[in-house]
Amino acid sequence: MHLLSSQARYRRRWERHAEVVQHRGSAINQAAVAHVIYDHLRQLGEGHPSLERDIGSSPSRGLKDIISRALTGKVLSNRTLRWFTDAFDMSEADIDALRALRAGNHPARVQIVRPAQITTETPGSRARYQTVSLHEFHVVGPDGLPAWHRTFHVVRAIDELRSYRYRFDTSAASVDVVRGGTAGPLSRTGDDGIYAVDINFHEPVAPGATESFEYRTVLHYTEAPPPEFRRAAVNPIENVTIDVQFDAELLPTRVWWAEWDDLHASRPVHQEPVTLRQDGCVHRHVDDLQGIVGFRWEFPAGRIRRPRDA
């Protein structure tokens, strides 16, 4: 439930109760979150024992226990998930993320690769595959820095396929394989500034068969990167969707959809202005992508904060 601390509009909801529960510090306060859920359920008039009060208008111990188990990753039922998404008025993208996490493997099987574990890339599988569908969801935090990134990926095997090599352009990242496989070590590739993680599938994918998997990249920048998100496709990708979500506390003044002719090129060869939606998101779907595309943006002058500590 990192969304409750990383997204300003969700955080503000439970921070309203911070004084009531004598909250101090930046961590999520479970009692304050329980107050938000309790107020929402009371407004709906849902008849559930968890709505019974301890004293006055405070959440009951039963409700506090349910919230605690959800926030610590022990138990998150469909009903409790709905309480969170409705009480915090979550966006569809965030709801999808929480549903995917809940539908994934047991938390002990979710593989996390930390930046400190970088090794030198070893030759991977030469098996061929085709990306059938790709959905990229990129989140920019209230400090103007990339916060995290989620990818839904579907591939079709041409040869027998045992793994997928996920390549990216920063070592300041932690990769969580949410569903569909496990992660190998973070490694340097032969390309300057490019790193990779092999996502190993639970079972080999037979030629002609498809495999879907999901991974999340948490970003830990100590220096502000260029204000852009790019997706490169050497071979054609049938369906690509790219969403970039900005925090309500720091919205860009201008956004462009852009195309580049080289990964290391700083200036695009083509760009066109894009209108930011009311929810602070930009969206683009591309059929048969081959090349380098993505979004660029500008923030108000002087609004970018100091990068987060590593």
Side-chain angles (χ1 to χ4, degrees):
M1 289 289 185
H2 74 285
L3 292 171
L4 300 187
S5 60
S6 64
Q7 297 289 329
R9 66 193 187 99
Y10 303 149
R11 185 182 182 89
R12 283 193 292 266
R13 291 197 178 218
W14 62 261
E15 282 185 334
R16 295 169 188 167
H17 297 280
E19 184 176 345
V20 175
V21 299
Q22 298 182 342
H23 172 65
R24 296 292 185 272
S26 59
I28 295 176
N29 184 276
Q30 295 182 8
V33 173
H35 270 271
V36 176
I37 303 293
Y38 172 74
D39 287 347
H40 170 70
L41 295 178
R42 188 173 58 175
Q43 289 176 4
L44 291 179
E46 288 197 10
H48 187 274
S50 297
L51 284 173
E52 294 177 1
R53 304 176 181 182
D54 279 348
I55 301 175
S57 58
S58 297
S60 70
R61 170 51 57 188
L63 179 57
K64 290 177 181 177
D65 288 344
I66 292 173
I67 300 307
S68 176
R69 290 194 293 270
L71 291 174
T72 56
K74 294 178 179 177
V75 179
L76 180 61
S77 67
N78 282 326
R79 182 192 62 191
T80 307
L81 177 60
R82 179 170 55 83
W83 287 354
F84 275 95
T85 58
D86 291 351
F88 285 90
D89 192 22
M90 291 187 174
S91 68
E92 287 299 321
D94 289 338
I95 293 173
D96 288 344
L98 290 177
R99 285 173 177 165
L101 285 170
R102 184 181 180 277
N105 296 322
H106 187 278
R109 296 183 61 192
V110 175
Q111 302 297 305
I112 300 177
V113 178
R114 300 297 181 191
Q117 298 174 314
I118 301 174
T119 62
T120 301
E121 182 183 39
T122 57
S125 170
R126 298 296 182 182
R128 294 175 299 161
Y129 64 88
Q130 178 186 17
T131 293
V132 177
S133 179
L134 191 70
H135 185 182
E136 306 273 21
F137 185 75
H138 191 69
V139 175
V140 181
D143 52 6
L145 300 179
W148 57 275
H149 186 86
R150 190 181 80 246
T151 305
F152 296 94
H153 206 145
V154 180
V155 296
R156 178 181 292 113
I158 298 175
D159 302 324
E160 183 180 80
L161 190 64
R162 294 179 178 271
S163 65
Y164 166 79
R165 179 154 292 176
Y166 171 38
R167 296 162 62 93
F168 43 92
D169 61 358
T170 177
S171 62
S174 302
V175 180
D176 304 355
V177 181
V178 177
R179 177 179 56 82
T182 57
L186 180 63
S187 60
R188 295 182 179 89
T189 71
D191 299 323
D192 184 36
I194 303 298
Y195 298 81
V197 167
D198 281 342
I199 298 175
N200 302 302
F201 301 130
H202 296 308
E203 302 289 342
V205 184
T210 59
E211 180 66 53
S212 68
F213 52 107
E214 177 188 352
Y215 44 101
R216 181 172 172 270
T217 308
V218 181
L219 301 161
H220 314 280
Y221 284 102
T222 56
E223 295 182 1
E228 62 188 28
F229 173 77
R230 306 187 192 187
R231 178 67 197 187
V234 176
N235 299 312
I237 301 177
E238 293 181 18
N239 298 286
V240 177
T241 301
I242 300 176
D243 291 279
V244 177
Q245 178 72 57
F246 298 94
D247 192 276
E249 290 191 359
L250 184 59
L251 296 175
T253 53
R254 294 192 293 178
V255 184
W256 299 269
W257 174 254
E259 300 176 12
W260 293 263
D261 60 2
D262 187 272
L263 280 174
H264 301 291
S266 59
R267 302 181 65 176
V269 294
H270 171 75
Q271 65 179 18
E272 59 188 65
V274 177
T275 301
L276 190 69
R277 299 191 318 202
Q278 291 185 353
D279 61 355
C281 186
V282 287
H283 165 88
R284 181 64 63 100
H285 178 82
V286 181
D287 291 320
D288 298 319
L289 171 64
Q290 188 170 20
I292 308 169
V293 299
F295 289 104
R296 299 178 62 243
W297 55 86
E298 287 183 357
F299 287 118
R303 288 293 306 278
I304 302 299
R305 302 178 189 175
R306 183 178 179 178
R308 296 182 287 267
D309 293 333

